[in-house]
Amino acid sequence: MSAFAKPLKIALGLAVIAGLIIVPMNFNRYGLFILSQWAVMAIAAMGLNLTLGYAGQVSLAQGAFVGIGAYAAAIMTTHGWPLPVAVVVAIALSFAVGWVLGYPALRVQHHYLAFVTLAFSTLAFLVFRNESWLTGGIYGISNIPRPHILGIATSKPLPFYYVCLGSLAIVSLAVWWLIRSPWGRAFMALRENPLRAQSLGIDTKRYTLMAFAIGSALGGVAGALYAPLTQYIDPVPFNLSLSLDLLMMVIVGGAGFYFGPFLGAMIAVLLPEWLRFTEGYYLMLYAVAVMLLLIWSPTGILGILDRYLAERRTKAASALRAVAKSRLETVQ
Amino acid sequence: MNAVLEVTGIKKNFGGISAVDGVSFDVREGEILGLIGPNGCGKSTLFNCILGQLTPSGGEVKLDGKLVTGLRPAELNKLGVSRTFQLLQVFPKLSVRENLILAGQEHQGNMASRLVGRSDAGLTEAANQMIGFFKLDHLADEPAGGLSYGQQKLLDAAMAFMGGPRLVLLDEPAGGVNPSMLADLKDRLVAINREKNATFVVIEHNMEFVMSLCSRVMVMAEGKVLAMGRPDEVRKNPAVIEAYLGH
Ligand SMILES: Nc1ncnc2c1ncn2[C@@H]1O[C@H](COP(=O)(O)OP(=O)(O)OP(=O)(O)O)[C@@H](O)[C@H]1O
Ligand SMILES: [Mg+2]
């Protein structure tokens, strides 16, 4: 069965990738904007999934890191720096700040940690709003240029969508590598049983800080793409509600599942668009749908799939056992 | 013979109660030392003080003659000291094999090689061997949380051996393991002790298990060492019979 499942999975994956490249070619400006936004949010959610889903460290600050990345990119590119350089700076900055934010996690966990990161989120928002000499304050930063990649201008929606999609691809591969590496396993050990982890030589302190730093750095990457995507930023999109949105994407998609953030970001970005015809009711419908989902499956959408597959495996295994048993009986 | 572990005057107070009250002993290279005593006499607390899980209120611990009191559990493990827990401590959502790889990976390479190197840190083979050794073959890909209590107990012990430790502190490894598996477990421990030259300290309430496995036995009562000696000596010691074996 599994020999058949693998080529099927690869074929499905290739079809999705081809679809993401080809189908948007005849999308309008708005459709491309939404899809680019999905790619950017998926990157940020993947970062949070690493911190929260894999390493088990609650964070309500991912939106702040998107903000840090966005401001870094906006300030630098409006001063003539190329975007790739700004991305590197955004990564370094959010990695360093994320590392520092990891320190409280060494002392407090769960809802206490949520409060600490929430306070940080508010602090970051105040800096974006009040330090107008750097961030433009409430007036924000406008005319953020889109980059030239390999000499090609990406100022039109379609080329810039490909920039976002390409970045998502690179981040996805990096995260895939990371979670399969011993580091990823150590992150899961933090979530599953830190006491046991310590006794096995796992430096829980260093891995906790790394989980925060890397997750935050991905938030920074998303921000550095968000700025040229919207070409104008002010503090409002980076307030606490973005952190909550990202948290919801991770949880609805399925925390600790690799594909959770892709799915969660899709639902969070596209569903409000699809529900637009309901006019004022869409947020309410969205909220009710999320509540029902989480009551039904606290582990998110991929949690449902996971349970279904596990059930099927158990059934297959017990069927095998029954066959083996009846053979034994006939032999006797 | 050299002492691998020297414990001198370890004390641990919890508020008013003194759980461990000045315990001193040596563990010799290659031996299996049993540690017995009534419930609540401070055996697990002593382990936790030695392993850096708890900070002792007094006393010191030496490993190969070097002072290690105050080191963190992860640091001690890197020096070759591993342990099992009285209460089950596995990684429930990871498979049995992943649990074992996790148990050994920090002993391979460095932080950088663990990021860019092989995803199994080169340990799949070793993990499979350990799985075979503890007869968990049919469960290798099952999540550890789905195993029975006794099977998880075996996994917990197997994990302690993945890093190739020199000294292993086992806290009630036989608790909840059924009699037929118990004989297996004893064989495994003896085999690892001989082949890998690993030194063990084993806390256990199962007298038959301790007396047949250990070369020496230490008896604790109310936070203090009551007796130390060969199993047959300890068994005959009037103070031990009075305090422990008698009832
Ligand atoms: N964290 C703690 N806080 C307060 N008291 C504790 C703590 N841990 C242990 N104790 C107390 O210290 C004493 C020794 O406990 P310990 O767990 O070391 O006993 P033990 O010899 O391992 O017993 P058992 O055979 O039942 O496992 C007990 O009285 C216990 O209640
Ligand atoms: Mg105990």
Side-chain angles (χ1 to χ4, degrees), chain A residues 12 52 116 141 183:
Chain A
L12 190 69
L52 174 79
V116 174
I141 300 172
W183 281 41

Side-chain angles (χ1 to χ4, degrees), chain A residues 104-116:
Chain A
L106 302 175
R107 300 199 60 90
V108 297
Q109 288 274 299
H110 310 303
H111 41 287
Y112 298 100
L113 185 55
F115 280 124
V116 174

Side-chain angles (χ1 to χ4, degrees), chain B:
Chain B
M1 264 191 272
N2 297 331
V4 181
L5 182 72
E6 293 163 75
V7 175
T8 320
I10 286 287
K11 283 187 201 278
K12 182 69 193 179
N13 306 322
F14 291 113
I17 44 167
S18 136
V20 177
D21 191 8
V23 169
S24 304
F25 66 102
D26 287 358
V27 185
R28 299 169 190 159
E29 177 101 53
E31 81 168 325
I32 302 183
L33 174 69
L35 175 50
I36 62 174
N39 290 121
C41 72
K43 303 180 296 295
S44 299
T45 306
L46 176 63
F47 266 22
N48 287 335
C49 289
I50 294 172
L51 289 156
Q53 213 95 56
L54 291 172
T55 314
S57 321
E60 54 186 42
V61 180
K62 283 185 180 165
L63 187 70
D64 299 317
K66 282 196 220 74
L67 200 64
V68 294
T69 347
L71 287 192
R72 286 186 288 144
E75 292 167 325
L76 266 167
N77 180 261
K78 287 286 186 61
L79 296 176
V81 186
S82 75
R83 74 170 303 182
T84 71
F85 289 83
Q86 180 169 359
L87 299 174
L88 284 180
Q89 300 290 352
V90 297
F91 303 104
K93 282 198 185 155
L94 305 186
S95 73
V96 167
R97 189 180 291 109
E98 288 283 313
N99 267 269
L100 289 168
I101 293 174
L102 194 42
Q105 68 174 36
E106 300 299 311
H107 295 262
Q108 307 291 322
N110 52 34
M111 279 305 265
S113 76
R114 287 195 284 276
L115 181 60
V116 297
R118 291 178 55 176
S119 71
D120 68 345
L123 284 169
T124 299
E125 189 51 37
N128 287 343
Q129 265 174 22
M130 198 61 84
I131 287 167
F133 200 59
F134 280 89
K135 300 198 170 146
L136 295 167
D137 305 74
H138 56 302
L139 300 165
D141 296 310
E142 293 299 313
L147 270 55
S148 76
Y149 186 85
Q151 289 164 337
Q152 290 192 41
K153 209 74 197 179
L154 291 179
L155 174 60
D156 198 9
M159 283 163 74
F161 300 122
M162 278 299 291
R166 312 189 38 226
L167 174 66
V168 188
L169 276 58
L170 300 116
D171 196 343
E172 303 195 18
V177 177
N178 83 10
S180 71
M181 262 207 222
L182 209 59
D184 275 348
L185 178 63
K186 199 162 75 188
D187 291 346
R188 303 288 164 265
L189 293 180
V190 170
I192 293 174
N193 171 249
R194 298 237 174 93
E195 288 160 24
K196 306 265 161 72
N197 195 32
T199 307
F200 295 157
V201 184
V202 185
I203 297 179
E204 200 32 81
H205 286 295
N206 183 329
M207 277 310 133
E208 204 195 321
F209 187 84
V210 175
M211 296 297 179
S212 59
L213 178 70
C214 301
S215 41
R216 288 193 304 158
V217 175
M218 179 166 112
V219 188
M220 278 179 74
E222 291 171 6
K224 291 192 166 72
V225 179
L226 193 64
M228 170 79 130
R230 287 202 316 274
D232 53 319
E233 291 170 357
V234 165
R235 225 196 280 261
K236 278 182 279 185
N237 185 320
V240 175
I241 294 170
E242 159 102 30
Y244 187 42
L245 296 174
H247 36 247

